[in-house]
PDB file of all heavy atoms in Angstrom:
ATOM      1  N   VAL B 408     -21.655  12.435   2.597  1.00 97.00           N
ATOM      2  CA  VAL B 408     -21.409  12.499   4.039  1.00 97.00           C
ATOM      3  C   VAL B 408     -20.384  11.438   4.392  1.00 97.00           C
ATOM      4  O   VAL B 408     -20.432  10.329   3.869  1.00 97.00           O
ATOM      5  CB  VAL B 408     -22.707  12.223   4.845  1.00 97.00           C
ATOM      6  CG1 VAL B 408     -22.417  12.175   6.343  1.00 97.00           C
ATOM      7  CG2 VAL B 408     -23.763  13.266   4.532  1.00 97.00           C
ATOM      8  N   ARG B 409     -19.438  11.784   5.249  1.00 97.00           N
ATOM      9  CA  ARG B 409     -18.558  10.766   5.793  1.00 97.00           C
ATOM     10  C   ARG B 409     -18.349  11.037   7.274  1.00 97.00           C
ATOM     11  O   ARG B 409     -17.931  12.119   7.675  1.00 97.00           O
ATOM     12  CB  ARG B 409     -17.212  10.759   5.086  1.00 97.00           C
ATOM     13  CG  ARG B 409     -16.158   9.853   5.725  1.00 97.00           C
ATOM     14  CD  ARG B 409     -16.454   8.364   5.531  1.00 97.00           C
ATOM     15  NE  ARG B 409     -15.759   7.573   6.531  1.00 97.00           N
ATOM     16  CZ  ARG B 409     -15.230   6.362   6.315  1.00 97.00           C
ATOM     17  NH1 ARG B 409     -15.340   5.797   5.144  1.00 97.00           N
ATOM     18  NH2 ARG B 409     -14.635   5.724   7.283  1.00 97.00           N
ATOM     19  N   ARG B 410     -18.676  10.040   8.077  1.00 96.00           N
ATOM     20  CA  ARG B 410     -18.459  10.163   9.525  1.00 96.00           C
ATOM     21  C   ARG B 410     -17.336   9.253   9.971  1.00 96.00           C
ATOM     22  O   ARG B 410     -17.163   8.165   9.450  1.00 96.00           O
ATOM     23  CB  ARG B 410     -19.746   9.782  10.282  1.00 96.00           C
ATOM     24  CG  ARG B 410     -20.860  10.771  10.067  1.00 96.00           C
ATOM     25  CD  ARG B 410     -21.996  10.626  11.084  1.00 96.00           C
ATOM     26  NE  ARG B 410     -23.116  11.428  10.606  1.00 96.00           N
ATOM     27  CZ  ARG B 410     -24.080  10.970   9.808  1.00 96.00           C
ATOM     28  NH1 ARG B 410     -24.068   9.688   9.447  1.00 96.00           N
ATOM     29  NH2 ARG B 410     -25.028  11.752   9.379  1.00 96.00           N
ATOM     30  N   PHE B 411     -16.573   9.720  10.942  1.00 94.00           N
ATOM     31  CA  PHE B 411     -15.624   8.875  11.656  1.00 94.00           C
ATOM     32  C   PHE B 411     -16.119   8.834  13.092  1.00 94.00           C
ATOM     33  O   PHE B 411     -16.061   9.850  13.782  1.00 94.00           O
ATOM     34  CB  PHE B 411     -14.208   9.452  11.615  1.00 94.00           C
ATOM     35  CG  PHE B 411     -13.601   9.458  10.235  1.00 94.00           C
ATOM     36  CD1 PHE B 411     -13.466  10.637   9.532  1.00 94.00           C
ATOM     37  CD2 PHE B 411     -13.170   8.282   9.647  1.00 94.00           C
ATOM     38  CE1 PHE B 411     -12.898  10.649   8.262  1.00 94.00           C
ATOM     39  CE2 PHE B 411     -12.611   8.284   8.385  1.00 94.00           C
ATOM     40  CZ  PHE B 411     -12.476   9.477   7.686  1.00 94.00           C
ATOM     41  N   ASP B 412     -16.636   7.690  13.520  1.00 91.00           N
ATOM     42  CA  ASP B 412     -17.288   7.597  14.824  1.00 91.00           C
ATOM     43  C   ASP B 412     -18.331   8.705  14.939  1.00 91.00           C
ATOM     44  O   ASP B 412     -19.247   8.746  14.145  1.00 91.00           O
ATOM     45  CB  ASP B 412     -16.253   7.625  15.957  1.00 91.00           C
ATOM     46  CG  ASP B 412     -15.274   6.463  15.823  1.00 91.00           C
ATOM     47  OD1 ASP B 412     -15.717   5.373  15.424  1.00 91.00           O
ATOM     48  OD2 ASP B 412     -14.077   6.660  16.066  1.00 91.00           O
ATOM     49  N   ASP B 413     -18.136   9.651  15.876  1.00 91.00           N
ATOM     50  CA  ASP B 413     -19.179  10.680  15.944  1.00 91.00           C
ATOM     51  C   ASP B 413     -18.741  12.006  15.321  1.00 91.00           C
ATOM     52  O   ASP B 413     -19.426  13.007  15.449  1.00 91.00           O
ATOM     53  CB  ASP B 413     -19.685  10.875  17.393  1.00 91.00           C
ATOM     54  CG  ASP B 413     -18.538  10.989  18.378  1.00 91.00           C
ATOM     55  OD1 ASP B 413     -17.384  10.993  17.915  1.00 91.00           O
ATOM     56  OD2 ASP B 413     -18.795  11.063  19.586  1.00 91.00           O
ATOM     57  N   LEU B 414     -17.583  11.972  14.636  1.00 94.00           N
ATOM     58  CA  LEU B 414     -17.141  13.192  13.955  1.00 94.00           C
ATOM     59  C   LEU B 414     -17.604  13.171  12.496  1.00 94.00           C
ATOM     60  O   LEU B 414     -17.413  12.190  11.796  1.00 94.00           O
ATOM     61  CB  LEU B 414     -15.606  13.259  13.990  1.00 94.00           C
ATOM     62  CG  LEU B 414     -15.013  14.451  13.265  1.00 94.00           C
ATOM     63  CD1 LEU B 414     -14.378  15.398  14.264  1.00 94.00           C
ATOM     64  CD2 LEU B 414     -13.998  14.021  12.229  1.00 94.00           C
ATOM     65  N   THR B 415     -18.268  14.251  12.086  1.00 96.00           N
ATOM     66  CA  THR B 415     -18.698  14.317  10.687  1.00 96.00           C
ATOM     67  C   THR B 415     -17.645  15.086   9.906  1.00 96.00           C
ATOM     68  O   THR B 415     -17.559  16.307   9.984  1.00 96.00           O
ATOM     69  CB  THR B 415     -20.067  15.007  10.571  1.00 96.00           C
ATOM     70  OG1 THR B 415     -20.972  14.317  11.439  1.00 96.00           O
ATOM     71  CG2 THR B 415     -20.588  14.920   9.160  1.00 96.00           C
ATOM     72  N   ALA B 416     -16.809  14.357   9.178  1.00 96.00           N
ATOM     73  CA  ALA B 416     -15.692  14.983   8.469  1.00 96.00           C
ATOM     74  C   ALA B 416     -16.151  15.634   7.171  1.00 96.00           C
ATOM     75  O   ALA B 416     -15.621  16.660   6.762  1.00 96.00           O
ATOM     76  CB  ALA B 416     -14.607  13.948   8.181  1.00 96.00           C
ATOM     77  N   VAL B 417     -17.152  15.011   6.530  1.00 96.00           N
ATOM     78  CA  VAL B 417     -17.731  15.571   5.313  1.00 96.00           C
ATOM     79  C   VAL B 417     -19.233  15.633   5.525  1.00 96.00           C
ATOM     80  O   VAL B 417     -19.858  14.634   5.872  1.00 96.00           O
ATOM     81  CB  VAL B 417     -17.394  14.688   4.081  1.00 96.00           C
ATOM     82  CG1 VAL B 417     -18.059  15.242   2.841  1.00 96.00           C
ATOM     83  CG2 VAL B 417     -15.897  14.610   3.886  1.00 96.00           C
ATOM     84  N   ASP B 418     -19.786  16.810   5.345  1.00 95.00           N
ATOM     85  CA  ASP B 418     -21.159  17.048   5.790  1.00 95.00           C
ATOM     86  C   ASP B 418     -22.030  17.544   4.625  1.00 95.00           C
ATOM     87  O   ASP B 418     -22.020  18.724   4.303  1.00 95.00           O
ATOM     88  CB  ASP B 418     -21.123  18.091   6.923  1.00 95.00           C
ATOM     89  CG  ASP B 418     -22.428  18.140   7.680  1.00 95.00           C
ATOM     90  OD1 ASP B 418     -23.358  17.411   7.310  1.00 95.00           O
ATOM     91  OD2 ASP B 418     -22.500  18.931   8.648  1.00 95.00           O
ATOM     92  N   HIS B 419     -22.747  16.623   3.988  1.00 95.00           N
ATOM     93  CA  HIS B 419     -23.656  16.967   2.890  1.00 95.00           C
ATOM     94  C   HIS B 419     -23.011  17.869   1.835  1.00 95.00           C
ATOM     95  O   HIS B 419     -23.448  18.995   1.615  1.00 95.00           O
ATOM     96  CB  HIS B 419     -24.928  17.618   3.438  1.00 95.00           C
ATOM     97  CG  HIS B 419     -25.730  16.652   4.248  1.00 95.00           C
ATOM     98  ND1 HIS B 419     -25.560  16.506   5.605  1.00 95.00           N
ATOM     99  CD2 HIS B 419     -26.678  15.760   3.890  1.00 95.00           C
ATOM    100  CE1 HIS B 419     -26.375  15.575   6.049  1.00 95.00           C
ATOM    101  NE2 HIS B 419     -27.062  15.100   5.043  1.00 95.00           N
ATOM    102  N   HIS B 608     -15.373  22.749   8.493  1.00 93.00           N
ATOM    103  CA  HIS B 608     -16.094  21.719   9.244  1.00 93.00           C
ATOM    104  C   HIS B 608     -16.892  20.790   8.340  1.00 93.00           C
ATOM    105  O   HIS B 608     -18.029  20.436   8.655  1.00 93.00           O
ATOM    106  CB  HIS B 608     -17.024  22.355  10.281  1.00 93.00           C
ATOM    107  CG  HIS B 608     -16.278  23.128  11.336  1.00 93.00           C
ATOM    108  ND1 HIS B 608     -15.318  22.540  12.114  1.00 93.00           N
ATOM    109  CD2 HIS B 608     -16.345  24.418  11.709  1.00 93.00           C
ATOM    110  CE1 HIS B 608     -14.813  23.446  12.938  1.00 93.00           C
ATOM    111  NE2 HIS B 608     -15.411  24.604  12.711  1.00 93.00           N
ATOM    112  N   GLY B 609     -16.317  20.437   7.211  1.00 94.00           N
ATOM    113  CA  GLY B 609     -16.957  19.469   6.331  1.00 94.00           C
ATOM    114  C   GLY B 609     -18.051  20.025   5.448  1.00 94.00           C
ATOM    115  O   GLY B 609     -18.642  19.288   4.658  1.00 94.00           O
TER     116      GLY B 609
END
Side-chain angles (χ1 to χ4, degrees):
Chain B
V408 175
R409 172 71 201 216
R410 292 195 192 90
F411 293 107
D412 300 323
D413 47 4
L414 178 112
T415 306
V417 177
D418 195 358
H419 294 91
H608 296 303

